[in-house]
């Protein structure tokens, strides 16, 4: 195994990691040619796998034509991508701001919310995760992530997740937006009940606040629908997307209505947001996801996974939660040794906090790789 150069990088995840040199579908290969199955190694950005050939071809072809273009000029590939994206969404959505990452897409949503309502307050959820830039971090719950950077942006409050009464009590006429993940990812895979999302919609409507869904991790088919809000039939005012939207190429999208955009005062801009390369990748990715009905595949494989994992012994597993191919196994012990044991067996999974094993495999994962992954988890966590 190739050793990473010591100390060259900083940030979470920058230390003691295995070197991966290439991939195909849900398979990742290290420098020695050893193959691993991706059960979460791409952090939810790899819904189409490691190097989707259609996305790779689109990027290469676009790179040969035009890599970058300022947003002041029209670009056919950007228009085609936006049309494709909006075509997947309810008609109420008609405006998109393109950026380069999830945290930037959240920042744009926060600016839209404050500017369009003229109000300061953002109501977010305990255990929520929305990114690392200072605005998105202010909406993020985990103390260890927030504290070293305080003071953060004022007027962010956090309420218990899946508690409609607490949410309703926190929303008032100073509230610009309610910001929620339909399934909390980093916070441990907690699935919102449809009633909770409906209560969020009602609270926002009651006070003319905006409802913002952060679907950075849940979006683009992962939960068994193209967007997780479809499960509950609750349509937000602002939808935040990133991660898998462009098949692994950096992108962020903040989607809203023409009516809300018309109320937006001030300006927002990104040099690289919506670059021809990102849009070409996004167009190819959305075509692949829809043509191959990957949300349905996520629903089917996810159901198999949940059914098997829910039979793990209660002595070691507190709870198994999930929706589609977004699954969390909450252990009664620390997850790090379980991740190491899975890696030993050739499966690269992910944690969410100290005790949750998080599974975010590509939606294109071979059935055999998925069931072998489940068997590996049963072998590692199965002993009482
Ligand atoms: C729900 C959610 N929002 C926002 C982000 C931030 O995205 P990025 O890392 O692309 O900035 C993440 C990243 O994990 C996320 O899961």
């Amino acid at each position: 195994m190739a050793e990473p150069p010591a100390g060259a990088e900083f940030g979470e995840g920058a230390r003691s990691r295995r070197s991966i040199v290439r991939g195909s579908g849900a398979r990742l290969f290290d420098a020695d040619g050893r193959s691993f199955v991706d059960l979460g190694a791409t952090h939810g950005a790899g819904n189409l796998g490691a190097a989707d050939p259609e996305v790779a071809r689109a990027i290469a072809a676009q790179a040969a034509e035009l890599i970058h273009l300022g947003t002041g000029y029209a670009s056919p590939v950007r228009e085609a991508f936006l049309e494709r994206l909006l075509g997947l969404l309810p008609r109420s959505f008609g405006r998109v701001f393109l950026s380069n990452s999830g945290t930037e897409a959240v920042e744009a949503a926060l600016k839209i919310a404050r500017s369009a309502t003229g109000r300061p307050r953002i109501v977010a959820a305990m255990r929520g995760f929305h990114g690392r830039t200072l605005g998105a971090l202010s909406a993020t719950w985990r103390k260890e992530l927030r504290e070293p950077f305080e003071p953060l942006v004022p007027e962010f409050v956090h309420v218990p997740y899946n508690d409609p009464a607490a949410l309703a009590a926190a929303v008032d006429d100073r509230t610009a937006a309610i910001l929620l993940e339909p399934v909390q990812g980093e916070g441990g895979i907690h699935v919102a009940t449809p009633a909770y999302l409906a209560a969020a919609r009602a609270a926002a409507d009651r006070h003319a606040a905006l409802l913002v869904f952060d679907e950075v991790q849940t979006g683009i088919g992962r939960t068994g629908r193209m967007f997780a809000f479809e499960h509950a039939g609750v349509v937000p005012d602002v939808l935040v997307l990133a991660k898998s939207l462009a098949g692994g190429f950096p992108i962020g999208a903040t989607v809203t209505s023409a009516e809300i955009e018309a109320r937006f005062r001030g300006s927002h801009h990104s040099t690289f947001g919506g670059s021809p390369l990102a849009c070409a990748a996004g167009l190819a990715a959305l075509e692949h996801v829809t043509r191959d009905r990957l949300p349905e595949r996520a629903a089917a494989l996810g159901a198999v996974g949940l059914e098997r994992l829910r039979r793990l012994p209660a002595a070691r597993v507190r709870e198994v939660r999930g929706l589609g191919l977004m699954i969390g196994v909450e252990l009664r012990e620390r997850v790090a040794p379980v991740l190491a044991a899975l890696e030993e067996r050739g499966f690269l999974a992910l944690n969410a906090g100290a005790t949750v094993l998080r599974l975010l495999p590509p939606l294109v994962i071979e059935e055999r790789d998925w069931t072998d992954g489940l068997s590996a988890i049963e072998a590692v966590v199965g002993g009482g």
Side-chain angles (χ1 to χ4, degrees):
M1 185 181 100
E3 290 296 321
E9 244 186 307
F10 75 98
E12 201 174 289
R15 290 187 192 89
S16 69
R17 58 193 169 187
R18 183 177 289 279
S19 175
I20 298 290
V21 294
R22 71 183 178 87
S24 170
R27 289 279 173 156
L28 297 168
F29 299 88
D30 73 10
D32 301 328
R34 183 170 173 204
S35 155
F36 296 86
V37 175
D38 171 14
L39 296 181
T42 47
H43 285 225
N47 287 11
L48 290 176
D52 180 61
E54 292 171 45
V55 173
R57 269 197 303 276
I59 291 172
Q62 185 61 49
E65 295 286 330
L66 183 67
I67 292 175
H68 182 252
L69 180 70
T71 47
Y73 300 91
S75 138
V77 70
R78 189 159 67 223
E79 278 154 31
F81 170 63
L82 292 176
E83 191 183 330
R84 196 87 171 87
L85 176 60
L86 290 173
L88 297 172
L89 286 162
R91 280 178 176 279
S92 55
F93 290 108
R95 295 287 184 273
V96 186
F97 179 82
L98 290 173
S99 54
N100 311 286
S101 64
T103 200
E104 280 176 82
V106 169
E107 294 292 335
L110 297 173
K111 285 175 83 171
I112 289 169
R114 280 190 164 177
S115 160
T117 63
R119 299 172 181 182
R121 181 158 293 179
I122 307 292
V123 178
M126 293 173 181
R127 285 192 315 243
F129 182 91
H130 300 285
R132 312 279 190 146
T133 51
L134 290 176
L137 187 60
S138 305
T140 291
W141 168 247
R142 248 171 69 203
K143 203 169 80 183
E144 319 85 83
L145 302 183
R146 300 161 47 91
E147 260 182 7
F149 309 104
E150 289 177 345
L152 295 177
V153 181
E155 298 277 4
F156 282 71
V157 297
H158 293 86
V159 293
Y161 193 69
N162 265 341
D163 181 340
L167 180 60
V171 178
D172 61 21
D173 292 347
R174 284 170 47 76
T175 306
I178 301 169
L179 170 61
L180 295 172
E181 296 158 87
V183 181
Q184 291 184 319
E186 305 291 318
I189 313 292
H190 294 271
V191 183
T193 63
Y196 181 60
L197 297 182
R201 179 71 274 171
D205 289 345
R206 208 158 38 243
H207 295 281
L210 302 186
L211 181 61
V212 182
F213 284 166
D214 179 344
E215 292 229 29
V216 166
Q217 200 163 132
T218 52
I220 325 302
R222 166 132 328 262
T223 68
R225 304 294 292 263
M226 188 60 83
F227 305 101
F229 72 77
E230 295 171 25
H231 290 281
V234 173
V235 179
D237 300 300
V238 182
L239 178 67
V240 181
L241 301 170
K243 286 205 190 276
S244 273
L245 179 56
F249 196 88
I251 194 167
T254 310
V255 192
T256 191
S257 66
E259 184 268 320
I260 291 167
E261 193 245 2
R263 287 157 54 197
F264 180 73
R265 291 166 291 106
S267 77
H268 194 52
H269 183 256
S270 159
T271 295
F272 288 120
S275 78
L277 271 191
C279 291
L283 186 59
L286 291 181
E287 276 176 12
H288 185 165
V289 172
T290 42
R291 187 198 60 230
D292 287 1
R293 299 171 176 270
L294 294 183
E296 286 169 38
R297 189 175 163 77
L301 295 180
V304 169
L306 277 175
E307 206 265 318
R308 279 181 61 175
L309 296 170
R310 285 192 168 130
R311 285 190 261 130
L312 288 169
R316 295 188 66 188
V317 173
R318 195 179 298 280
E319 193 177 31
V320 177
R321 301 178 288 266
L323 198 59
L325 280 177
M326 187 170 181
I327 296 178
V329 178
E330 185 173 341
L331 304 170
R332 295 183 190 279
E333 60 199 79
R334 296 186 72 75
V335 67
V338 170
L339 290 174
L342 286 172
E343 183 166 331
E344 238 354 270
R345 289 166 186 260
F347 297 90
L348 304 180
L350 197 59
N351 71 309
T355 59
V356 176
L357 171 66
R358 181 167 36 145
L359 304 176
L360 299 173
L363 315 187
V364 295
I365 189 170
E366 296 288 341
E367 213 170 313
R368 182 66 197 269
D369 280 343
W370 177 233
T371 52
D372 284 352
L374 296 170
S375 301
I377 296 167
E378 285 162 352
V380 170
V381 181

